[in-house]
Amino acid sequence: MARTIVIEAAGGPDMLTMVDRDVADPAAGEVRIRHRACGLNYIDVYQRMGLYPLTLPHPLGMEASGDVVAVGAGVTHLKEGDRVAYASMPPGAYSEERVMPAAQVCPLPDGISYETGAAMMLQGMTVEYLFHRITDITKDDRVLFHAAAGGVGLIACQWARSEGIELIGTAGSDEKCALARDHGATTCINYRDTDFAPHVKEITGGAGVDVVMDGVGKDTFDPSLDCLKPLGFMISFGNASGPVPPVDLLTLAGKGSLKLTRTTLFTFLADHDRCQAMARHLFDKVLSGDVEIRIGQTFPLEDVADAHRALESRQTTGSTILTL
């Protein structure tokens, strides 16, 4: 039996319930993992609220680290006793132990702790694909990144700095802006004090940025388009403030033949080889010191509802983990 956080109905943090669940032996292509720590991410909130529907009841959690305790037939890249970390479907990481598909489970280098492994996989591989797998972003390009003091944002600030990319961040307080600058943002705009779009144009001498990376959604989408230079690329990868309303394609034409995509990490992770390559790239960044994973908050697994409340109220900085 393993303590596991499940929801039986969509709704607020009070819907999160701890239960004891049986853990089966792994079938072909699966592994059984004993978790050491679990990550907290906004996709967990979307699933809990029903924005991303699940068949209920269902366990939650998309990210964790731990040890392989059993391996099913046909799994060749992992063995019993391996240290591992993952960000993967299906949900179920908020648990002491689970069985899951092995393809997206990644060997965790000895130089990276379990806590860091649980805090970095979903957010870190999100940054990896944003900078390397959508459009060419090269040294001296300018990127506007929203929520730059969050878990994804702080990794993005460091990633950009390590590759000579000018990252302009936005955040909701002067303290969060300072944190983003400390982690590599060239500048950071407090969006509560100023309209960020005119400020971005001022910073760039009227030219605009090459790419916008927006995980906030509804509140930032429209003014973000005004921050792009002609032929610029808008990458929408989340909706923390709510889904983006329907977009008139002629708006993109009128603002300079802009390009737009709505991405999700799990499309990129679906291919085993690409997933493992993305993880290795992330691990190399961390082991080299180019990226330091900042764990801003830690909650016991049984306090997961409090963790969700903190995340939704934007009281968190960096990554948040659940301990077992």
Side-chain angles (χ1 to χ4, degrees):
M1 304 290 285
R3 294 187 305 154
T4 304
I5 302 297
V6 303
I7 55 169
E8 296 186 355
D14 292 341
M15 295 294 101
L16 298 163
T17 304
M18 180 174 285
V19 300
D20 289 324
R21 287 167 59 102
D22 289 324
V23 184
D25 293 327
E30 294 182 334
V31 289
R32 181 168 170 167
I33 300 172
R34 181 173 298 121
H35 289 147
R36 299 293 192 102
C38 313
L40 177 71
N41 298 281
Y42 238 99
I43 190 172
D44 307 343
V45 174
Y46 301 153
Q47 291 170 344
R48 190 206 74 220
M49 295 171 60
L51 181 63
Y52 296 171
L54 299 172
T55 301
L56 302 178
H58 208 293
L60 286 190
M62 303 294 291
E63 175 183 46
S65 66
D67 302 296
V68 175
V69 295
V71 177
V75 176
T76 59
H77 72 292
L78 298 171
K79 65 182 184 303
E80 185 177 336
D82 279 353
R83 304 172 74 250
V84 294
Y86 66 84
S88 176
M89 297 287 278
Y94 292 176
S95 62
E96 292 177 317
E97 198 165 320
R98 72 179 295 194
V99 169
M100 64 179 296
Q104 281 67 49
V105 178
C106 305
L108 182 66
D110 289 339
I112 299 176
S113 70
Y114 290 108
E115 292 77 14
T116 298
M120 69 188 286
M121 295 300 287
L122 193 148
Q123 296 169 347
M125 289 197 289
T126 294
V127 172
E128 201 277 348
Y129 89 72
L130 288 173
F131 280 89
H132 293 280
R133 300 183 188 271
I134 299 175
T135 186
D136 289 335
I137 302 174
T138 58
K139 187 176 182 294
D140 296 326
D141 280 351
R142 286 170 167 157
V143 170
L144 174 63
F145 200 100
H146 293 299
V152 178
L154 292 182
I155 297 172
C157 290
Q158 297 174 82
W159 202 289
R161 179 173 59 188
S162 75
E163 298 188 354
I165 296 162
E166 181 180 343
L167 186 145
I168 301 169
T170 70
S173 70
D174 291 342
E175 293 76 15
K176 287 187 174 183
C177 283
L179 186 62
R181 289 192 297 270
D182 288 345
H183 282 73
T186 306
T187 189
C188 190
I189 302 165
N190 183 344
Y191 64 81
R192 297 191 189 278
D193 288 348
T194 184
D195 293 335
F196 66 83
H199 201 164
V200 169
K201 281 299 184 74
E202 180 182 347
I203 292 169
T204 60
V209 298
D210 299 279
V211 178
V212 174
M213 299 177 179
D214 182 13
V216 175
K218 177 173 64 70
D219 290 351
T220 51
F221 183 84
D222 286 339
S224 291
L225 296 180
D226 294 328
C227 296
L228 285 164
K229 62 174 55 174
L231 306 181
F233 208 130
M234 175 74 178
I235 304 173
S236 175
F237 67 95
N239 29 252
S241 67
V244 175
V247 179
D248 184 347
L249 292 181
L250 289 177
T251 299
L252 304 180
K255 292 182 181 293
S257 300
L258 304 180
K259 292 163 282 188
L260 168 65
T261 185
R262 176 57 168 94
T263 60
T264 177
L265 170 65
F266 299 104
T267 305
F268 294 88
L269 298 185
D271 179 83
H272 168 76
D273 290 339
R274 182 169 55 218
C275 172
Q276 299 296 323
M278 290 169 65
R280 288 192 297 270
H281 194 183
L282 173 61
F283 295 151
D284 288 345
K285 285 282 188 183
V286 172
L287 291 170
S288 71
D290 284 341
V291 171
E292 180 180 354
I293 305 301
R294 186 179 192 275
I295 300 173
Q297 305 76 215
T298 300
F299 295 83
L301 181 63
E302 57 267 26
D303 292 341
V304 62
D306 291 335
H308 273 236
R309 292 186 188 98
L311 181 64
E312 289 180 87
S313 60
R314 302 189 183 185
Q315 295 176 6
T316 63
T317 57
S319 300
T320 303
I321 62 170
L322 306 172
T323 56
L324 301 163

